[in-house]
Amino acid sequence: MTTDKSRVPVIAGPCSAESEAQVLTAARALASAGVKMFRAGVWKPRTKPGGFEGIGNRALQWLRKAKEQTGMSVATEVATATHVREAMEAGIDILWIGARTSANPFAVQEIADALAAYPQESRDRLTVLIKNPVNPDLELWIGAIERVERAGIRNLGAIHRGFSSYGRHLYRNPPKWRIPIELRRRLPGLPIYCDPSHIAGKKELVESISQQALDLGFDGLMIESHPTPEEALSDASQQLTPDALVSMLGRLRCRRGAIDSEPLEELRGRIDSIDDELLDLLAKRMRVSREIGLYKEEHGMPILQKDRYNSLMQQRVERGVSLGLDSAFVRQILAAIHEESVREQLTMRREC
Ligand code: PEP
Ligand code: MN
């Protein structure tokens, strides 16, 4: 289940199966790098109509071939009872329920009922992984896991792929690490994978998310990898070539069991994610401040409004102190943020 380089179980492969050659090229490259589990989406849930919606049933045969030729286990996403039956027939080893599907209890129940119809022996050969719902709702996630568990699936796991959020963010789906950490507390024996590709949305950020996941003691990673990512028919910007994936895995520091046995690493992971949230918020604040700059410019107002600055500073320092922060520290941070807003607004005026 693990690659030599990272010592953590990795499921890797393209976002979508696009052609037999693409599937087999990716599978061979990943298998020779030590990856033991291969993923490829066959049915693709797309936000808008008209996008590439996957090859469908025909691509299951490419996955079967990849399995025969490389010995890897193969994984694909299912969203309906028909998908379950077709994937089972094609000998798929790992099914995952996608984020849009796990948000819908009717759909999850339909999948669970389809699974429950198989003899226990077939269900025991199968692994089912449940991605978090797109919205940050832990109970909905746990509900989806329970539905599949009640269908007699014993090899169960969760995949954390971040949560959709309105507006622009550093990440495509901000991780909100507190939610999978709480899932771990609520369902202690359940393996939790992290999908850094869908959290990051950009290949440059996949490594730092993967490292944070390992620091937090996640049990494995699901990472998108395509032989020619720039030509990918879905999620082109977040896929790594197999070579890039292997070198990234080699750089990751693996600290297994952090959640249970390495409190320091767990705390550091939490600090890392809080820092990410702080940066996200600062970037959001600067965008609003630029909008204010535009408004002032259009209405011939000066950039510095001294009275407003003094009253805000006072209110915020009081609030900071009531939260247990040192007043000089709060003052210093607010002054730095304000200075940067003014600098941005001045730069905008020069550019106008
Ligand atoms: C995928 O894994 O390609 C996928 C569609 O994921 P998600 O359900 O997390 O969006
Ligand atoms: Mn994808």
Side-chain angles (χ1 to χ4, degrees), residues 148-204:
V148 177
E149 189 175 29
R150 286 182 190 191
I153 299 295
R154 299 192 187 135
N155 304 317
L156 260 184
I159 304 178
H160 171 230
R161 51 76 79 195
F163 301 91
S164 35
S165 164
Y166 186 66
R168 274 198 306 142
H169 291 272
L170 174 60
Y171 301 119
R172 176 180 177 194
N173 291 294
K176 301 186 191 295
W177 295 108
R178 267 163 291 153
I179 295 179
I181 289 172
E182 180 59 12
L183 177 69
R184 164 79 86 219
R185 197 186 65 77
R186 295 271 299 272
L187 302 177
L190 184 79
I192 310 180
Y193 278 64
C194 177
D195 169 348
S197 309
H198 288 88
I199 293 177
K202 306 176 195 63
K203 60 178 180 305
E204 297 75 20

Side-chain angles (χ1 to χ4, degrees), residues 90-141:
I92 303 296
D93 309 283
I94 303 166
L95 305 181
W96 82 81
I97 299 183
R100 291 159 194 79
T101 308
S102 57
N104 178 350
F106 288 129
V108 178
Q109 192 56 52
E110 179 188 316
I111 292 170
D113 292 343
L115 289 167
Y118 287 88
Q120 189 62 51
E121 202 178 301
S122 316
R123 282 177 276 170
D124 284 348
R125 276 198 299 269
L126 186 70
T127 296
V128 180
L129 303 174
I130 296 119
K131 288 199 174 196
N132 62 265
V134 277
N135 49 323
D137 184 336
L138 178 61
E139 298 311 319
L140 201 53
W141 195 1

Side-chain angles (χ1 to χ4, degrees), residues 15 39 44-45 77 96 98-100 131 161 195 198 222 224 235:
C15 177
R39 65 151 281 158
K44 299 304 297 178
E77 173 173 347
W96 82 81
R100 291 159 194 79
K131 288 199 174 196
R161 51 76 79 195
D195 169 348
H198 288 88
M222 176 188 259
E224 289 190 339
D235 289 350

Side-chain angles (χ1 to χ4, degrees), residues 15-17 40-44 53-57 59-60 63 76-77:
C15 177
S16 306
V42 160
W43 299 282
K44 299 304 297 178
E53 294 194 327
I55 299 284
N57 196 0
L60 292 172
L63 284 181
T76 202
E77 173 173 347

